[in-house]
Amino acid sequence: MEQSKRSITIRDVAKKSGVSVSTVSRVLNGKVDVAKTTKNHVLKIIDELGYSTNLAARSMRSQKKNLIGLIMPDIAYPYAIEIMKGVNQAIAESEFDLLVYTSGDVRKRGHVTSEQKYITLLAKSISDGVIVVAPVASEYNIDKPIVSIDPVMSNPTYPSVHATNYEGSTEAMEYLIGLGHQRIGFIGGRVELESANQRLAGYRNALEKAGIPIDEQLIVSGDYTTKTGIEGGQRLLLLEDRPSAIFASNDQMAMGVYQIAEKLDLQIPGDFSLVGFDNIPESKYLGLTTVDQFISEMGYAATQMLIRIINEVPEENQTLKIRTQLVVRNSCRPYGEKKN
Amino acid sequence: MEQSKRSITIRDVAKKSGVSVSTVSRVLNGKVDVAKTTKNHVLKIIDELGYSTNLAARSMRSQKKNLIGLIMPDIAYPYAIEIMKGVNQAIAESEFDLLVYTSGDVRKRGHVTSEQKYITLLAKSISDGVIVVAPVASEYNIDKPIVSIDPVMSNPTYPSVHATNYEGSTEAMEYLIGLGHQRIGFIGGRVELESANQRLAGYRNALEKAGIPIDEQLIVSGDYTTKTGIEGGQRLLLLEDRPSAIFASNDQMAMGVYQIAEKLDLQIPGDFSLVGFDNIPESKYLGLTTVDQFISEMGYAATQMLIRIINEVPEENQTLKIRTQLVVRNSCRPYGEKKN
DNA sequence: TTGAAAGCGCTAACAG
DNA sequence: CTGTTAGCGCTTTCAA
């Protein structure tokens, strides 16, 4: 791609105002040791030329950028959006601006291994610190603070915000068991995810504690998408001995189960009960019983944590846990009622 | 903020592998003219050192960055999210990555005038082109392609994607008028927004065309938030001579009207009809009749447009119009039915 | 108060 | 195939 007109640089400004580049730089950075006359003149030229700093160049030289990077594999799914809402709020309250980086699709990054590196890089080059969502790498040799949300490792070496996946899952199961359910289906996430394993662990332990034998047939796995929720739900609901309840380990999948139940003409509750996890707005409208994951809280907390670290330079290698909470909502329409 | 350990640079890699920096650079950029042995060796060192490119530096030298910038005033409201979904999808299908820039809150940028400049700047420095959502400035002296979505100006000098606000608004009004309504309330957006004015124009013209006198009392203004929807709705619904229908010029505000209607114990439809604009997912669950604005389509289209411009370097100063469409949905629950 | 000059980390000719 | 040499646009000493 050819660029006909070159950007106007600090040099152009210097030339036109008849001063040196260093002087212009000083004006630009509000240094005190510039004569008022010179300053005003340069400012005028800057305005005339419509000059604006090249951040890339600047950030190569100076330290503080007032910029925080948020790195996400994908930006369009509900979980990501909730995180961003939280981060966004913390950013709005701060003196920092936000740069969200994404490759648009989880799958795209799989190809190039260096992608991971590349991504981190970018943020590190031009920001004061980064927030990484669900990172897979455990090591980031970065010279900037980094806070992660829901990392794959349960004990990363950098500060992180974790959801209480295990506790939440346990709570959800206790709720269902309390309702009298004995056969409870589980739809899990990908095994690479720490969160998925913890949720599954909560499922297993709750059953064990209740003295209910575990039927491996009732455990199916998905990948936190509605699609796999539909598949998993179908598989469970078409079993000879259908479970009387399903615990979908995230809301997206719960919505999938919801859809397939409609198609199979099954009532919720009635034919079976359904509980989701990771409350997202849509599920509210479907009246799903859900474990509230305070997703946006995590974004908010992580951002504040990062800002504190940036500003106060402490060795804050802490871990923050955001509690889950079982929220039982009334449905906005009777479960299973047909749309027409 | 002190940075104790310096980042490892291409120089460190070069030194440790006993080659020159240029060779390392070649390896990094996948040039062909590097001996396989050297290449592997360098790669190994890179890995050992955990080196990663400093993008700021790189982008200063080379042209193509495979990075597109998206500039948004705020990132957390539904409209923004829909746009991002569209952009995200186009990005996922492309060879580009995405960098979303935001200051987190519309209000924050108001303060500094240079903010606008600063923002644009950033994207321009490190990306191949930018997409700007609802820009207020008409001029961006930028040397990179820029595509805007829903700009304030109706005829900006750069490529842009517009919604057919006027047409959509007209359609919505014709729908309501077709239902027999004579007194139709309107809740508008901020007058600075071109979109708001066009929607209002659609409202006025449709009434005029139908020979219905315009009652200025029925026109209230908001700012596209649920809050002002509530206020506007309240104002309209508490009028002596209540309108029989309300056209809220975006869905957020329609949801506000919906809420206040519930509080006032009014049925929709029954006591009055309600039409929204800019379909967002939530409204679907509330069963709102809505003018579908294909918000995410706009993001998608803008991104594709930008990519085409970047790759093919045409003087594509076109304007693209995304059509609105009136979507009448069945309610997911009978209007006005009480939640309990 | 200002300018000259030295780099930041990187890529891109140009020689070898 | 590889090293040397220039810079990219900016900030920052160090002198003047």
Side-chain angles (χ1 to χ4, degrees):
Chain A
M1 168 195 151
E2 253 103 30
Q3 215 51 72
S4 47
K5 46 184 174 187
R6 212 179 39 80
S7 258
I8 44 182
T9 77
I10 199 175
R11 271 256 269 291
D12 301 318
V13 177
K15 200 170 298 171
K16 181 145 185 194
S17 10
V19 298
S20 73
V21 285
S22 26
T23 303
V24 178
S25 174
R26 281 185 193 108
V27 172
L28 249 26
N29 293 285
K31 304 285 185 198
V32 279
D33 55 349
V34 184
K36 216 163 191 174
T37 339
T38 333
K39 182 174 168 182
N40 287 144
H41 182 226
V42 172
L43 246 27
K44 214 181 99 212
I45 303 288
I46 287 180
D47 206 54
E48 270 177 46
L49 258 41
Y51 164 83
S52 59
T53 297
N54 179 325
L55 278 210
R58 165 176 292 180
S59 76
M60 257 179 69
R61 303 287 303 146
S62 54
Q63 287 298 320
K64 188 76 176 291
K65 289 137 194 154
N66 275 322
L67 211 53
I68 283 179
L70 171 61
I71 295 170
M72 317 195 84
D74 191 330
I75 219 172
Y77 61 113
Y79 180 87
I81 290 172
E82 289 302 304
I83 294 277
M84 286 179 45
K85 280 186 188 165
V87 173
N88 188 71
Q89 167 145 21
I91 287 293
E93 293 167 1
S94 78
E95 77 271 24
F96 289 84
D97 285 341
L98 178 67
L99 211 46
V100 185
Y101 182 79
T102 180
S103 60
D105 192 330
V106 207
R107 282 159 299 173
K108 236 169 75 180
R109 64 193 312 209
H111 290 209
V112 202
T113 330
S114 65
E115 171 87 295
Q116 173 81 317
K117 212 177 260 181
Y118 177 76
I119 287 180
T120 312
L121 191 309
L122 180 153
K124 141 179 139 174
S125 322
I126 65 174
S127 67
D128 299 311
V130 306
I131 299 169
V132 188
V133 176
V136 289
S138 58
E139 284 287 328
Y140 288 95
N141 87 343
I142 242 191
D143 54 343
K144 295 256 175 53
I146 173 174
V147 170
S148 77
I149 295 176
D150 244 350
V152 170
M153 324 285 301
S154 41
N155 277 318
T157 52
Y158 38 80
S160 55
V161 175
H162 294 256
T164 52
N165 292 296
Y166 176 76
E167 294 83 342
S169 176
T170 304
E171 238 175 296
M173 288 301 292
E174 282 170 354
Y175 168 72
L176 286 173
I177 292 170
L179 252 42
H181 293 287
Q182 294 279 118
R183 284 183 64 69
I184 304 176
F186 179 83
I187 307 182
R190 290 179 304 157
V191 287
E192 309 94 84
L193 293 177
E194 181 67 13
S195 71
N197 293 327
Q198 289 174 351
R199 289 171 200 195
L200 178 55
Y203 169 81
R204 289 185 182 280
N205 282 22
L207 287 180
E208 212 161 289
K209 211 157 76 187
I212 301 173
I214 292 174
D215 180 351
E216 295 295 337
Q217 239 194 140
L218 295 181
I219 303 179
V220 303
S221 66
D223 64 2
Y224 287 169
T225 62
T226 302
K227 185 165 155 287
T228 58
I230 294 176
E231 292 163 4
Q234 183 158 34
R235 194 136 136 241
L236 290 171
L237 294 173
L238 292 182
L239 284 176
E240 302 263 314
D241 190 6
R242 195 174 63 211
S244 68
I246 291 181
F247 174 30
S249 68
N250 92 331
D251 260 20
Q252 285 289 289
M253 297 195 298
M255 290 175 70
V257 175
Y258 184 90
Q259 283 175 32
I260 192 70
E262 265 191 336
K263 195 165 289 171
L264 296 176
D265 217 18
L266 293 173
Q267 306 278 120
I268 316 174
D271 292 320
F272 72 102
S273 292
L274 176 60
V275 172
F277 201 116
D278 277 348
N279 176 43
I280 56 171
E282 275 84 356
S283 67
K284 177 169 83 190
Y285 296 106
L286 291 180
L288 291 183
T289 301
T290 215
V291 176
D292 203 324
Q293 187 63 274
F294 296 117
I295 310 180
S296 66
E297 280 299 317
M298 294 199 291
Y300 187 79
T303 311
Q304 289 212 322
M305 200 160 166
L306 180 58
I307 291 178
R308 269 229 315 284
I309 297 178
I310 291 174
N311 287 334
E312 302 169 17
V313 210
E315 284 309 307
E316 196 144 3
N317 258 4
Q318 301 173 354
T319 280
L320 186 64
K321 293 232 176 202
I322 298 286
R323 291 209 58 77
T324 53
Q325 183 179 20
L326 184 64
V327 180
V328 184
R329 285 208 181 73
N330 290 315
S331 55
C332 75
R333 62 165 163 140
Y335 285 115
E337 180 190 310
K338 278 289 159 34
K339 275 186 228 149
N340 35 17
Chain B
M1 175 193 146
E2 252 104 30
Q3 215 51 71
S4 46
K5 46 185 172 188
R6 211 179 41 82
S7 262
I8 45 182
T9 76
I10 199 174
R11 271 253 271 290
D12 301 319
V13 178
K15 200 170 297 170
K16 181 145 187 193
S17 16
V19 296
S20 72
V21 284
S22 31
T23 303
V24 178
S25 174
R26 281 184 194 107
V27 172
L28 249 27
N29 294 283
K31 303 285 185 198
V32 280
D33 53 350
V34 185
K36 214 161 190 175
T37 338
T38 333
K39 183 174 168 182
N40 287 145
H41 181 228
V42 171
L43 246 25
K44 214 181 100 213
I45 302 289
I46 287 180
D47 207 54
E48 270 177 46
L49 258 41
Y51 164 84
S52 59
T53 297
N54 179 326
L55 275 210
R58 164 178 292 181
S59 76
M60 261 180 67
R61 299 292 303 142
S62 54
Q63 286 299 319
K64 190 74 175 293
K65 289 139 192 153
N66 276 325
L67 209 54
I68 283 180
L70 171 62
I71 295 171
M72 317 194 83
D74 192 331
I75 219 173
Y77 62 113
Y79 180 86
I81 290 172
E82 289 300 305
I83 293 278
M84 285 180 44
K85 280 186 187 166
V87 173
N88 188 70
Q89 166 145 22
I91 288 292
E93 294 168 0
S94 78
E95 77 272 22
F96 289 84
D97 285 341
L98 179 66
L99 210 46
V100 185
Y101 182 78
T102 180
S103 60
D105 191 329
V106 207
R107 281 158 299 172
K108 236 170 72 178
R109 65 193 311 207
H111 291 206
V112 202
T113 330
S114 65
E115 172 85 297
Q116 174 81 316
K117 207 178 264 179
Y118 177 76
I119 287 180
T120 312
L121 192 305
L122 181 153
K124 141 179 138 175
S125 320
I126 65 174
S127 67
D128 298 312
V130 306
I131 300 169
V132 189
V133 176
V136 288
S138 57
E139 284 288 329
Y140 287 96
N141 84 345
I142 242 190
D143 55 341
K144 294 258 174 52
I146 172 173
V147 170
S148 77
I149 295 175
D150 244 352
V152 170
M153 323 286 300
S154 41
N155 277 318
T157 52
Y158 38 80
S160 55
V161 176
H162 294 255
T164 53
N165 293 296
Y166 176 78
E167 294 83 342
S169 176
T170 304
E171 237 176 298
M173 288 301 291
E174 282 169 354
Y175 168 73
L176 286 172
I177 293 169
L179 251 43
H181 293 286
Q182 294 279 116
R183 284 183 63 69
I184 304 176
F186 179 84
I187 307 181
R190 290 179 305 155
V191 287
E192 308 94 84
L193 293 176
E194 181 68 13
S195 71
N197 293 327
Q198 289 173 351
R199 291 171 199 194
L200 178 55
Y203 168 81
R204 289 185 183 280
N205 283 20
L207 286 179
E208 212 161 288
K209 210 157 76 189
I212 301 174
I214 292 175
D215 181 351
E216 295 296 337
Q217 238 194 138
L218 294 182
I219 302 179
V220 304
S221 65
D223 63 4
Y224 288 169
T225 63
T226 302
K227 184 165 157 288
T228 57
I230 294 177
E231 292 163 4
Q234 182 158 35
R235 197 140 131 235
L236 290 171
L237 294 171
L238 291 181
L239 284 176
E240 301 263 315
D241 189 6
R242 196 175 60 210
S244 69
I246 292 180
F247 174 30
S249 69
N250 93 331
D251 260 20
Q252 285 288 291
M253 297 195 297
M255 290 175 69
V257 176
Y258 184 91
Q259 283 175 31
I260 192 71
E262 264 191 336
K263 194 164 290 172
L264 296 176
D265 216 18
L266 294 173
Q267 306 278 121
I268 316 174
D271 292 320
F272 73 101
S273 293
L274 177 60
V275 172
F277 201 117
D278 277 349
N279 176 44
I280 57 171
E282 275 84 357
S283 68
K284 177 169 83 190
Y285 295 107
L286 292 180
L288 292 183
T289 301
T290 215
V291 176
D292 203 323
Q293 186 64 273
F294 298 116
I295 310 180
S296 64
E297 280 298 317
M298 294 201 289
Y300 188 78
T303 311
Q304 288 213 324
M305 200 161 168
L306 180 58
I307 291 179
R308 270 230 315 282
I309 297 178
I310 291 174
N311 287 333
E312 303 170 17
V313 210
E315 284 309 305
E316 197 145 3
N317 256 3
Q318 301 171 354
T319 278
L320 186 64
K321 293 232 175 200
I322 299 286
R323 291 208 56 76
T324 52
Q325 184 178 19
L326 185 65
V327 180
V328 183
R329 286 208 179 74
N330 290 315
S331 55
C332 77
R333 62 166 162 137
Y335 286 114
E337 181 189 309
K338 276 291 163 31
K339 276 187 227 148
N340 37 14

